[in-house]
Amino acid sequence: MGIKLPLKLFTLSIDDGSLGVDGTTYKGTPRLIEELLPVLYDPQSLDPALLKKPLYYMFRDVARTADRPLFESLGLRYDITVISPQPLGREFPKTLGHYHPEASNGLSYMEVYEVLHGKAHYLLQRRSREGEVDRVVLIEAKPGDVVVIPPNYGHVTINPSTETLVMSNLVARGFKSIYDEYLEKRGAVYYELVDGRLLFNERYESKVELERLSAPSGEFLLELKSDLYASFIEETSRFHFLMDPSLWKPE
């Protein structure tokens, strides 16, 4: 793979499931293609020879040694995810999809993503208090774009290009993602196929019209002066909403 990405405070070096940051090497946790079978539109279209291959790698709790106490004191972590361009049969490569647990007052924990290399489609679906999905948004993002996952949204990340997608994220470190609904429904409300179509997942009871944004905006936008890591170090107070979503005020 051999990708080097210079950020303000360090350079990311990515190669074959390993990540180098500031003299430290991290081994990624792989998500194998066969693990995505339960959420695919057409799992039969997959080449069986690919099933044991990694689709993406997750690097959790990445930090410079000097910065780690700050992340830990605030209960946050910085992650890197690397998604290959390998199609999943008739679909673009994607993550499994998950919701976050409640943080307080009926609001789930939030998350912030930044695209560092390649392109991303963030497919978000909001769950109402009654448990039904009442909004679905597809956000197209390019390098440098920062995307906020607001409270009570589940999300899937899709790699719609022939390039490797590298993205970073900031999130609370003390919870576990909730995959149940995505597994029960065999994926998100929509599937994005390699021919560009977005097909409704009939396992959801009611069809919600898809909103498509060509760039993050509104409640999904966080404007930063630098990359996500450096912005957190330099303007830590701006990210308190990741632990208390009631503090989130769209810009």
Side-chain angles (χ1 to χ4, degrees):
M1 191 183 301
I3 297 174
K4 288 189 178 296
L5 299 173
L7 304 183
K8 183 176 182 180
L9 300 180
F10 53 79
T11 295
L12 291 176
S13 300
I14 303 164
D15 190 28
D16 194 27
S18 295
L19 176 72
V21 175
D22 197 36
T24 300
T25 299
Y26 296 81
K27 290 295 182 182
T29 300
R31 179 78 74 187
L32 302 183
I33 288 177
E34 66 178 358
E35 296 179 76
L36 277 294
L37 289 174
V39 297
L40 296 187
Y41 170 68
D42 182 11
Q44 301 303 318
S45 64
L46 266 178
D47 180 353
L50 298 175
L51 294 180
K52 296 296 183 181
K53 292 189 175 182
L55 180 68
Y56 56 95
Y57 285 94
M58 299 166 283
F59 300 90
R60 302 297 192 216
D61 202 14
V62 174
R64 299 187 304 177
T65 302
D67 301 328
R68 189 166 297 282
L70 177 61
F71 284 98
E72 293 178 350
S73 68
L74 295 175
L76 301 176
R77 71 169 197 252
Y78 178 83
D79 304 331
I80 299 291
T81 304
V82 180
I83 306 177
S84 86
Q86 174 62 54
L88 295 171
R90 297 173 64 185
E91 284 182 81
F92 282 126
K94 64 181 183 181
T95 58
L96 191 62
H98 65 267
Y99 285 91
H100 298 166
E102 181 178 339
S104 60
N105 300 317
L107 301 176
S108 69
Y109 285 98
M110 298 175 63
E111 192 165 7
V112 180
Y113 283 91
E114 180 184 22
V115 177
L116 300 175
H117 184 268
K119 296 179 181 178
H121 286 174
Y122 293 98
L123 181 60
L124 282 63
Q125 56 191 60
R126 184 176 64 191
R127 194 162 50 186
S128 69
R129 291 186 181 274
E130 291 72 34
E132 297 295 327
V133 175
D134 62 5
R135 189 182 185 193
V136 183
V137 182
L138 181 75
I139 303 171
E140 301 175 13
K142 63 185 184 305
D145 283 345
V146 176
V147 177
V148 174
I149 310 297
N152 304 333
Y153 278 85
H155 55 101
V156 171
T157 303
I158 300 163
N159 181 355
S161 78
T162 57
E163 290 186 284
T164 297
L165 167 60
V166 182
M167 60 185 183
S168 64
N169 69 278
L170 270 174
V171 70
R173 65 194 302 129
F175 71 77
K176 292 184 178 180
S177 299
I178 302 171
Y179 298 97
D180 297 6
E181 183 167 335
Y182 284 91
L183 294 171
E184 292 167 3
K185 303 284 191 181
R186 295 198 64 85
V189 175
Y190 284 88
Y191 299 105
E192 186 169 15
L193 305 190
V194 294
D195 63 9
R197 288 183 295 161
L198 285 150
L199 299 184
F200 175 64
N201 181 351
E202 300 287 349
R203 295 171 185 83
Y204 286 83
E205 294 182 5
S206 57
K207 185 172 183 178
V208 180
E209 291 302 317
L210 178 73
E211 302 173 43
R212 190 159 188 164
L213 302 178
S214 59
S217 62
E219 65 183 304
F220 310 106
L221 174 66
L222 180 64
E223 295 191 37
L224 302 177
K225 297 177 182 178
S226 187
D227 62 79
L228 182 58
Y229 189 103
S231 295
F232 171 75
I233 299 300
E234 296 165 359
E235 301 181 273
T236 302
S237 62
R238 293 192 66 196
F239 296 90
H240 288 171
F241 66 86
L242 291 172
M243 291 300 292
D244 183 357
S246 68
L247 299 176
W248 170 240
K249 299 293 186 291
E251 300 176 348

